[in-house]
Amino acid sequence: MVRFWGRANRNSAPRKRSVACSFWPFDRHKKSNPDNYRASEPSETHSKRSLRSSSKSHSRKQQVDSDLIDSIVNDRDLSHLSFSRPAPLSTPAIRELLAKIGDWEFNIFELDKLTQGRALYTVCMTLMENEGLLEPDWVISRQKAERFFVAVEATYRGDNSYHNSVHAADVAQAALIILKAGHNSVAFTKLEVFSLICAAAVHDLGHPGYTNDFLINTAHPNAIVYNDRSVNENFHVSSAFRIVSQSEETNIFSGLSRADYVQARRLIVNAVLATDMTQHMRLLDAFSEGRSEQPNLAAWGDSDVLLQLVLHTADLCNPCRPLLFSIKWGELICCEFLEQVMLLCICTSFLRHMDHSAGVQSPYNATTAFILKNFLSVYQDVGVYAN
């Protein structure tokens, strides 16, 4: 077993090497907006498409509160921290874009650019407002919701190419579309919709940029804590409830009754844990079995499996987005995979699975092709999927 995680200061996080990479025929200039992609110069050779090291990190132009991240990761008291980070300015361009938040073609990269790295906060607060989940329409405190999403957004790692707060915002937006799509939709309660938004927001919270297998095989401390089972997913949801429990300012659940809180916590925990790909077939089998027993989804007594399926689908749906967005997401996850590969020094075994002549290729493409084929067959049968 290879161990990379030993360090002098046991409380410090392992340093990640910043990697900038580009795949022909697209470059990464002005990466916040896919519309800025341009074709590479005709003279560009295959060798120039290879991985390039850079001293610049994949920052989302967000000032990350390092004290907040350190406190959450190391389970320290958050009461001394301030969550008064100002909300993004509501410019006409932002308002115009948010008016399309219910569209499948919604440009999350443009929103992240316009809000200067505040896409997750902006999407979640907009969805909460649109769904009538904030006071006085329902029981959730606007101030505490704002501070919760500020803390969540700040806890995402800005140096991750893919698993960052922009991805979380994209998943939250997609989840609400999927939840309401199709002619056989279910009337979800406000508590269930609220739980889904929270689960989407935190589903990759504090993601280290490495897969579960990588953390297990390198004896990462999180793998030890969670006994090699859904290591990242357990860490994400645990971190989310640490944010809630360690400061009353961020207790987004404070307006719920005890029974509603217990239900919301169960739905959020189960939905986030279901995003682990090892749970994929189990989730599909559970859904298919439930539907065979009761074809009418509205008659299901418990929406737990449905919410798990919605979040899992939203987490994997970016290959179904408009082409430029899909290419952008594909490039970003390839960069993150390659950074992990470089750390393990197994480039040879990894790269043989990549066909450079076909453009952006990686295990991501083959995996999502298989997954989406299964998912779309399920959703087409039920009549609930985004076109």
Side-chain angles (χ1 to χ4, degrees):
M1 177 181 294
V2 182
R3 187 181 181 93
F4 289 96
W5 307 107
R7 52 191 182 274
N9 182 358
R10 63 185 300 270
N11 291 325
S12 62
R15 291 186 179 181
K16 293 182 62 178
R17 179 181 180 182
S18 297
V19 176
C21 58
S22 180
F23 297 90
W24 182 87
F26 302 103
D27 63 18
R28 305 201 60 200
H29 296 297
K30 301 179 182 178
K31 67 175 184 175
S32 295
N33 187 356
D35 296 333
N36 289 320
Y37 280 126
R38 61 174 175 81
S40 300
E41 298 298 331
S43 60
E44 184 176 10
T45 62
H46 177 79
S47 62
K48 291 183 180 180
R49 303 169 206 159
S50 61
L51 187 67
R52 297 195 294 268
S53 297
S54 171
S55 60
K56 298 180 179 179
S57 67
H58 297 297
S59 173
R60 295 178 302 99
K61 303 176 184 178
Q62 173 184 349
Q63 182 64 41
V64 178
D65 188 335
S66 59
D67 288 337
L68 175 63
I69 295 175
D70 182 66
S71 297
I72 291 169
V73 170
N74 294 294
D75 197 17
R76 296 172 181 165
D77 182 29
L78 302 179
S79 59
H80 65 288
L81 297 176
S82 172
F83 302 97
S84 58
R85 190 179 181 195
L89 294 177
S90 181
T91 65
I94 292 176
R95 290 194 295 270
E96 180 180 358
L97 186 57
L98 288 176
K100 305 174 184 177
I101 199 169
D103 297 344
W104 192 248
E105 297 77 17
F106 185 76
N107 190 340
I108 196 68
F109 300 106
E110 181 66 15
L111 179 64
D112 189 56
K113 178 181 177 181
L114 291 174
T115 59
Q116 300 182 11
R118 304 296 306 281
L120 179 57
Y121 170 90
T122 305
V123 165
C124 289
M125 288 304 298
T126 301
L127 294 176
M128 295 280 288
E129 184 76 47
N130 292 350
E131 296 300 319
L133 301 177
L134 301 173
E135 294 177 340
D137 298 323
W138 201 46
V139 297
I140 303 302
S141 164
R142 179 183 299 273
Q143 184 180 55
K144 292 184 178 181
E146 290 175 346
R147 291 175 175 176
F148 173 77
F149 290 121
V150 165
V152 166
E153 188 171 55
T155 309
Y156 275 90
R157 295 182 61 122
D159 57 347
N160 284 347
S161 302
Y162 182 87
H163 290 104
N164 51 41
S165 63
V166 183
H167 166 65
D170 184 64
V171 171
Q173 187 264 344
L176 264 291
I177 292 179
I178 296 171
L179 193 72
K180 298 175 179 297
H183 61 272
N184 194 23
S185 58
V186 180
F188 292 94
T189 66
K190 287 191 174 184
L191 183 66
E192 290 165 343
V193 176
F194 165 71
S195 300
L196 180 63
I197 294 173
C198 291
V202 307
H203 84 280
D204 276 330
L205 188 63
H207 198 294
Y210 305 117
T211 64
N212 285 336
D213 285 342
F214 180 93
L215 299 180
I216 293 168
N217 292 332
T218 56
H220 189 277
N222 285 353
I224 305 301
V225 170
Y226 299 114
N227 299 312
D228 298 346
R229 297 179 181 176
S230 301
V231 178
N232 277 325
E233 291 73 23
N234 272 298
F235 176 71
H236 303 325
V237 73
S238 175
S239 298
F241 281 95
R242 287 176 192 162
I243 291 176
V244 171
S245 65
Q246 294 190 18
S247 175
E248 186 60 29
E249 292 185 70
T250 57
N251 186 3
I252 194 173
F253 304 105
S254 63
L256 299 177
S257 67
R258 176 62 184 174
D260 285 347
Y261 169 74
V262 170
Q263 182 182 358
R265 175 172 163 79
R266 176 177 62 86
L267 293 174
I268 293 169
V269 170
N270 290 345
V272 174
L273 293 182
T275 61
D276 183 357
M277 282 308 304
T278 63
Q279 302 299 311
H280 176 75
M281 297 310 300
R282 177 201 64 79
L283 186 56
L284 285 184
D285 291 342
F287 178 79
S288 299
E289 181 181 347
R291 187 172 176 273
S292 64
E293 296 177 359
Q294 175 53 266
N296 182 10
L297 301 183
W300 284 24
D302 192 345
S303 62
D304 197 2
V305 172
L306 294 178
L307 293 180
Q308 291 177 42
L309 190 64
V310 168
L311 182 60
H312 187 41
T313 306
D315 192 24
L316 300 171
C317 74
N318 56 60
C320 296
R321 294 286 197 176
L323 180 59
L324 283 179
F325 302 157
S326 179
I327 291 173
K328 174 72 171 179
W329 287 120
E331 178 187 297
L332 293 175
I333 200 168
C334 281
C335 288
E336 198 165 286
F337 274 137
L338 287 173
E339 183 173 88
Q340 175 176 294
V341 168
M342 290 178 67
L343 186 60
L344 274 177
C345 302
I346 55 172
C347 292
T348 302
S349 62
F350 177 85
L351 292 175
R352 69 184 180 186
H353 297 294
M354 299 178 66
D355 179 10
H356 288 282
S357 63
V360 180
Q361 295 288 332
S362 78
Y364 171 73
N365 289 351
T367 302
T368 51
F370 170 77
I371 292 166
L372 290 172
K373 182 178 180 181
N374 283 282
F375 261 137
L376 292 180
S377 64
V378 170
Y379 276 106
Q380 189 171 18
D381 192 28
V382 179
V384 184
Y385 68 97
N387 183 2

